[in-house]
Amino acid sequence: MNGEIDGELMRRALVEAERGRGLVEPNPLVGAVVWDGAQVVGVGFHARCGGPHAEVAALANAGANANGAVLYVTLEPCAHHGKTPPCTEAVIASGIERVVAATRDPNPQVAGGGCEVLRAAGVEVEVGVLADEAKRLNAPFFKRVLRGRPYVVAKWAMTLDGRTATSSGDSRWISNAHSRGRVHALRGRVDAILVGIGTALVDDPLLTARPAGPRLAARVVLDSAARLPLDSQLVRTARAIPCWVAVDEHAPAGRVAALEAAGCIILPFSGLGGIPIPPLLDELGRLGVTNLLVEGGGRALGSFLDAGEVDAVEVFIAPAVVGGPPTHLPTFGHGRDRIADALRLERRTFEILDGDLHLSGTFRHPWLDDF
């Protein structure tokens, strides 16, 4: 089969895979297409964690038409027993003659094993069609598997002159209702939402998706001295929606105990004047977080940037100028000394939302380049 058709059908599989976003994590997004040489006879995607994988769904959709056909799948089929039986068993039993996979699975339980099982059964296997697109689609999954840390998305709203609030601290609302709706949709697809204690004290946020999305995100507060008020919205709802408070190991014991008694989960760290970001991400990875949304404030965002741990950004720019001293900026921290060392977005999109400019983009993902 020629490369043009392979690419076209793999793009169809990638579109199918995207349908599972927010529904399947910590599993990867996977889509599959069955082609009988003349037409698509089956499609499927991984729709929920613990449910049928994309290959099984597509083969079921194809039925007997799968015999002698080609299966296009965005990730190597698994060959191990997990929450579901190995996908390789279903592929072999269906009579599929050729499997085209976009990329190998980084999961050590798979890692090429699925392809080996299929080849041993006489199935022709090709890997690498639209590999870059498939890896970028699953960048959060790849990062968690290869580095043990969640994928970090930094989000902020600002004016044209780069302010997140006026000099008096007023920030409601910089972005418009359409932009705020987009943020709520984003919240509904991530595993955790993080703010610094400054933002928690000033804004008293709830950090939930409204309306609710497919995921219920844990709320994380960087609070080295355990200052989060017991009457804050985060604490008052901690028993219903997880609230994780990252504190210094020397934080006042009474404050830590009070937060625990109110239902918060305490994450203690050893740091020098703040919460160390790499160990925090290691812990969040162990807690099962695949996607982390960092909403601010400037010091929290700056600490992630300084640590080199921001993978993507979602920025909303309002067509407004407030002027005044630069007391409220999207990011603080140490920053870069030279423009040449500034982080550059490698992939970016722009969209106008009722006058606001929405910029999405990703930085370089070295764990993808090395895989």
Side-chain angles (χ1 to χ4, degrees), residues 23 43 88 110 119 150 161 163 165 172 178 181 201 220 276 324 331 333 354 358:
L23 301 170
V43 296
T88 51
V110 186
R119 290 189 178 109
D161 51 343
R163 306 304 201 265
R172 294 190 179 184
H178 196 160
L201 292 174
V220 185
T331 67
D354 290 342
H358 176 207

Side-chain angles (χ1 to χ4, degrees), residues 2-357:
N2 65 51
E4 182 177 347
I5 294 178
D6 282 353
E8 178 182 339
L9 291 169
M10 188 61 76
R11 286 188 183 88
R12 173 79 179 271
L14 288 167
V15 170
E16 287 294 315
E18 180 65 39
R19 296 174 64 187
R21 188 173 298 280
L23 301 170
V24 303
E25 293 83 354
N27 287 357
L29 306 175
V30 185
V33 170
V34 181
W35 171 260
D36 71 357
Q39 61 183 342
V40 171
V41 294
V43 296
F45 70 102
H46 186 34
R48 63 180 179 86
C49 185
H53 288 188
E55 303 95 313
V56 174
L59 292 171
N61 185 230
N65 293 321
N67 187 44
V70 181
L71 173 67
Y72 292 85
V73 61
T74 58
L75 194 68
E76 171 189 8
C78 66
H80 67 285
H81 283 271
K83 294 181 178 179
T84 60
C87 290
T88 51
E89 291 183 358
V91 173
I92 294 167
S94 71
I96 285 286
E97 288 189 354
R98 178 174 178 247
V99 171
V100 181
T103 180
R104 292 181 296 120
D105 190 330
N107 185 342
Q109 292 183 297
V110 186
C115 294
E116 291 176 6
V117 169
L118 292 173
R119 290 189 178 109
V123 179
E124 180 186 349
V125 178
E126 180 179 350
V127 180
V129 175
L130 301 188
D132 186 62
E133 289 90 334
K135 289 192 289 186
R136 298 291 168 181
L137 175 77
N138 269 315
F141 172 74
F142 273 75
K143 185 180 181 185
R144 184 180 57 79
V145 171
L146 296 174
R147 295 192 61 196
R149 295 175 179 173
Y151 190 80
V152 178
V153 179
K155 167 264 167 184
W156 66 85
M158 67 182 185
T159 61
L160 280 176
D161 51 343
R163 306 304 201 265
T164 58
T166 66
S167 56
S168 68
D170 179 48
S171 62
R172 294 190 179 184
W173 295 102
I174 288 177
S175 57
N176 62 33
H178 196 160
S179 295
R180 297 196 299 276
R182 189 65 59 87
V183 172
H184 281 286
L186 180 60
R187 285 179 175 180
R189 296 194 302 268
V190 301
D191 302 299
I193 303 167
L194 181 146
V195 296
I197 184 59
T199 296
L201 292 174
V202 171
D203 294 344
D204 188 24
L206 188 57
L207 299 181
T208 57
R210 302 183 291 278
R215 307 191 76 74
L216 180 64
R219 290 85 52 83
V220 185
V221 183
L222 301 185
D223 185 14
S224 57
R227 292 188 293 153
L228 188 63
L230 297 180
D231 63 351
S232 65
Q233 291 196 91
L234 290 170
V235 176
R236 286 190 286 108
T237 57
R239 297 192 188 281
I241 307 169
C243 180
W244 301 340
V245 185
V247 304
D248 185 272
E249 61 182 355
H250 300 298
R255 289 291 311 158
V256 170
L259 289 170
E260 284 186 310
C264 296
I265 303 299
I266 302 299
L267 308 178
F269 294 92
S270 176
L272 298 174
I275 305 300
I277 299 306
L280 170 68
L281 292 176
D282 290 339
E283 179 62 19
L284 293 180
R286 284 190 288 270
L287 290 169
V289 176
T290 298
N291 289 283
L292 172 66
L293 179 63
V294 179
E295 292 207 13
R299 289 180 178 81
L301 285 164
S303 66
F304 277 86
L305 286 168
D306 286 345
E309 290 289 355
V310 173
D311 302 304
V313 297
E314 298 284 346
V315 181
F316 299 85
I317 305 171
V321 175
V322 299
T327 52
H328 295 83
L329 301 175
T331 67
F332 289 100
H334 300 297
R336 271 64 178 173
D337 293 328
R338 304 188 312 148
I339 292 295
D341 297 327
L343 293 172
R344 301 281 179 177
L345 291 176
E346 292 192 340
R347 290 166 173 78
R348 51 199 175 271
T349 60
F350 303 89
E351 183 181 11
I352 301 298
L353 303 176
D354 290 342
D356 285 357
L357 174 63

